Amino acid sequence: MSEKVLHSVITENAGEETKKQFSYMEKAEGYVKDLEKELGRKPTACVVTFGCQMNARDSEKLIGILTKIGYEQTESEDADFVIYNTCTVRDNADQRVFGRLGYVSGIKKKKPWMKIALCGCMMQEQGAIEKIQKSYRHVDLIFGTHNIFKFAELICTMFESDRMIIDIWKDTDQIVEDLPIVRKYPFKSGINIMFGCNNFCTYCIVPYVRGRERSRNPKDIIREIEYLAADGVKEIMLLGQNVNSYGRGLPKEDKMSFAELLNEVCKVDGIERVRFMTSHPKDLSDDLIKVIAENEKVARHIHLPLQSGSDEILNKMNRRYTKESYLALVDKIKAQIPDVSLTTDIIVGFPGETDSDVDETIDVVRKAEFDNAFTFIYSKRTGTPAASMEQVPESVSKPNFDRLLKVVQETAKKRASRFTGQTHRVLVEEVNEQDPSLVTGRMSNNTLVHFPADKSLIGEFVDVKLDECHGFYYMGTMIK
Ligand code: 5AD
Ligand code: SF4
């Protein structure tokens, strides 16, 4: 996507911290100009994002600041400034970052002016920082998830020092609004509605690296969405680790539940589709189901992580629901929103998990008929309660994972074709990667559709007849 939108005006609501950061942006702009003179061209910056939608949104904020201070954005790591926005939810995410750092050190040797920064979830772990200090001395700047708003200030410090700058906060209750953002897509956008997580599922590192749950004020959220709508955004995704617990801790006069917020968001003129991610089954309320059912603007898609179908494992995971209550919730959702698509996350190989526990999970997959399930092998995260439980050997977890995956794929395939022949509203997102005579769009339930049309329709909603189902996507024809 070539079109970029920079949201960088200080509004009258901007707080002291925002104003302070804008003055650092001015200062950083001076440093980037100096570098431009030295290089004889505009310096380039590359942000590499690992992990979830939250990180993708954070990267848009990083790019917003980089653009504001004069960097040209590039996808190539052969840039003048490379920023890795890391994830640490599973060990393979960590390993990928170390792999990139090894690669980029080779580039930096040939470009001594090059700067390298690391941020995001992995940086909130002491072990990772120590390893970088010891083995990756070419890194210039490290910051974490809580002080990302200080990026401009940290860039100034980085330009003023030859040492590795490390600034990690343990937690924060601060939410800094109104900093610049460059959206990846002009017509759709993610929006943080809350930060952090208080659930402490025993396998999960997120509560330790993203801190305690904090909800943004509904007025700030609606103001941002109105701004985005005026700027051409038609589809938004409300983001939080557990959106169903939105609103806890808000001051009395602003108190609002997630169901109420969703309803308010749908009222914003110009916004035609609203998604949200992620829901915790223990907190998904009847009110929320009602708002979705009654409101055509809310996407027909709920991502409802199951994690396991065994009561014993769910208990050890501290998920606070049972197989029975999960299935009852699924039945309730499907009864009230018949055209909904359900997707889920499942972990195999949690400490103590046996073959019969996995049988229970497979039973839920069959009964819930998920449209898709993201399956993961349990990854031990230092500092979480599950790390000190007795681990399952790969000789047990791997065959169970394969068994589960087979059922997930069979179920998804059966489900996928159920819309064949129907006409659905599709948001056109891009030119098809393989065939430029086609465009690719998404249905309300998040399914991809490819169909012949002109690229001028990118960013528009059109009606498309779903001719043929090919597993996870449809081929269609646009209805004029
Ligand atoms: N090991 C494997 N998968 C995990 N997830 C979270 N923590 C772990 C872990 N330690 C999965 C969960 C979650 C998804 C985002 O990542 O399924 O829903
Ligand atoms: Fe992790 Fe559980 Fe919070 Fe999700 S709800 S981020 S799995 S602790």
Side-chain angles (χ1 to χ4, degrees):
M1 190 55 40
S2 58
E3 200 177 335
K4 299 282 184 322
V5 183
L6 179 62
H7 164 188
S8 77
V9 205
I10 310 192
T11 70
E12 56 206 80
N13 298 299
E16 280 316 305
E17 186 59 47
T18 309
K19 288 180 188 149
K20 185 171 144 198
Q21 291 306 320
F22 267 88
S23 66
Y24 277 114
M25 282 176 230
E26 260 174 50
K27 192 171 175 200
E29 202 175 341
Y31 291 130
V32 177
K33 279 216 174 89
D34 291 345
L35 182 61
E36 182 172 348
K37 269 187 220 135
E38 207 179 301
L39 299 174
R41 59 170 171 81
K42 211 170 169 180
T44 54
C46 168
V47 177
V48 183
T49 312
F50 297 87
C52 65
Q53 306 272 358
M54 288 276 199
N55 261 21
R57 184 63 174 161
D58 282 350
S59 287
E60 292 187 341
K61 297 176 187 173
L62 298 173
I63 296 169
I65 291 173
L66 290 165
T67 308
K68 175 92 180 144
I69 65 176
Y71 277 104
E72 191 171 297
Q73 204 199 321
T74 163
E75 308 275 302
S76 155
E77 283 161 83
D78 186 8
D80 302 306
F81 188 11
V82 181
I83 301 96
Y84 294 101
N85 188 5
T86 64
C87 166
T88 189
V89 77
R90 285 171 291 276
D91 184 59
N92 56 1
D94 287 14
Q95 294 318 318
R96 280 170 59 210
V97 171
F98 289 125
R100 295 325 294 161
L101 280 179
Y103 164 77
V104 86
S105 79
I107 304 180
K108 186 163 174 169
K109 281 198 187 106
K110 288 179 229 141
K111 287 170 67 166
W113 66 88
M114 184 179 180
K115 302 277 185 204
I116 299 169
L118 286 164
C119 63
C121 294
M122 192 177 146
M123 299 307 115
Q124 295 293 139
E125 287 184 283
Q126 189 52 30
I129 303 288
E130 282 163 15
K131 185 165 172 180
I132 294 158
Q133 280 178 306
K134 199 163 145 246
S135 311
Y136 300 90
R137 296 294 314 158
H138 55 288
V139 170
D140 299 281
L141 168 64
I142 301 179
F143 56 103
T145 54
H146 303 302
N147 55 350
I148 179 172
F149 67 86
K150 274 181 72 182
F151 189 39
E153 183 176 346
L154 291 165
I155 290 175
C156 290
T157 319
M158 177 181 80
F159 274 113
E160 287 155 12
S161 163
D162 288 332
R163 298 186 21 237
M164 186 191 283
I165 314 290
I166 304 179
D167 190 2
I168 307 289
W169 296 6
K170 270 210 151 52
D171 205 347
T172 183
D173 52 10
Q174 214 175 346
I175 299 177
V176 181
E177 299 284 347
D178 287 311
L179 289 170
I181 293 184
V182 169
R183 295 197 307 275
K184 188 167 177 202
Y185 299 95
F187 52 85
K188 68 170 185 178
S189 180
I191 307 220
N192 301 106
I193 62 164
M194 59 201 299
F195 302 92
C197 180
N198 282 358
N199 288 315
F200 290 95
C201 301
T202 55
Y203 51 82
C204 188
I205 193 84
V206 167
Y208 306 90
V209 298
R210 288 261 174 193
R212 295 293 58 75
E213 198 174 283
R214 301 164 313 275
S215 292
R216 273 179 82 192
N217 192 299
K219 287 186 197 118
D220 290 330
I221 296 171
I222 298 292
R223 191 163 55 85
E224 184 176 354
I225 296 174
E226 283 169 350
Y227 170 86
L228 290 169
D231 203 34
V233 168
K234 292 181 180 155
E235 178 179 297
I236 54 169
M237 161 107 68
L238 306 175
L239 297 170
Q241 300 297 345
N242 175 15
V243 292
N244 302 123
S245 64
Y246 173 80
R248 286 182 202 157
L250 281 174
K252 230 193 194 145
E253 62 280 13
D254 293 321
K255 203 99 195 133
M256 202 181 258
S257 69
F258 180 59
E260 289 163 337
L261 177 74
L262 189 59
N263 207 25
E264 287 306 306
V265 167
C266 288
K267 289 183 194 156
V268 175
D269 267 351
I271 297 298
E272 294 185 43
R273 193 185 269 169
V274 185
R275 301 184 180 281
F276 56 88
M277 185 88 98
T278 290
S279 289
H280 194 306
K282 78 175 166 58
D283 300 315
L284 200 145
S285 68
D286 290 350
D287 286 348
L288 179 62
I289 300 176
K290 194 159 173 271
V291 170
I292 303 170
E294 288 174 358
N295 211 319
E296 277 296 304
K297 281 190 182 181
V298 184
R300 268 35 204 156
H301 175 211
I302 302 180
H303 185 65
L304 196 62
L306 167 68
Q307 312 301 5
S308 168
S310 149
D311 286 345
E312 200 180 322
I313 297 296
L314 284 171
N315 189 29
K316 283 192 189 158
M317 287 176 162
N318 188 31
R319 290 291 289 177
R320 288 172 275 175
Y321 53 83
T322 60
K323 175 184 179 187
E324 195 188 336
S325 67
Y326 185 94
L327 283 170
L329 177 62
V330 167
D331 282 347
K332 193 157 63 178
I333 293 172
K334 288 194 171 173
Q336 292 183 45
I337 320 168
D339 53 348
V340 77
S341 281
L342 280 184
T343 56
T344 199
D345 291 340
I346 299 171
I347 298 175
V348 177
F350 182 84
E353 190 183 60
T354 62
D355 295 354
S356 75
D357 290 317
V358 179
D359 290 342
E360 296 287 319
T361 304
I362 290 178
D363 190 43
V364 178
V365 171
R366 291 219 165 93
K367 289 188 170 133
E369 296 197 303
F370 295 114
D371 290 80
N372 200 3
F374 301 93
T375 48
F376 308 104
I377 294 235
Y378 167 75
S379 170
K380 181 174 161 179
R381 309 316 287 137
T382 309
T384 60
S388 46
M389 298 178 190
E390 194 173 341
Q391 305 292 303
V392 171
E394 218 186 291
S395 58
V396 175
S397 59
K398 186 69 176 64
N400 276 333
F401 180 85
D402 293 341
R403 221 152 56 84
L404 170 72
L405 190 62
K406 208 163 147 252
V407 180
V408 162
Q409 285 169 343
E410 280 165 16
T411 323
K413 203 167 161 201
K414 250 195 286 169
R415 288 286 286 171
S417 58
R418 72 188 191 279
F419 300 114
T420 309
Q422 297 181 7
T423 297
H424 279 244
R425 202 125 175 86
V426 167
L427 175 59
V428 185
E429 296 197 345
E430 58 202 2
V431 173
N432 185 287
E433 277 174 20
Q434 264 95 47
D435 180 349
S437 70
L438 303 177
V439 294
T440 299
R442 262 172 217 278
M443 289 159 48
S444 172
N445 75 352
N446 213 27
T447 305
L448 287 175
V449 191
H450 308 294
F451 56 99
D454 189 74
K455 67 171 194 262
S456 62
L457 286 173
I458 290 172
E460 301 294 327
F461 279 94
V462 294
D463 289 330
V464 179
K465 181 156 177 283
L466 308 171
D467 300 322
E468 263 173 50
C469 176
H470 293 246
F472 286 105
Y473 65 90
Y474 279 95
M475 297 305 295
T477 320
M478 198 171 100
I479 309 292
K480 295 269 181 256

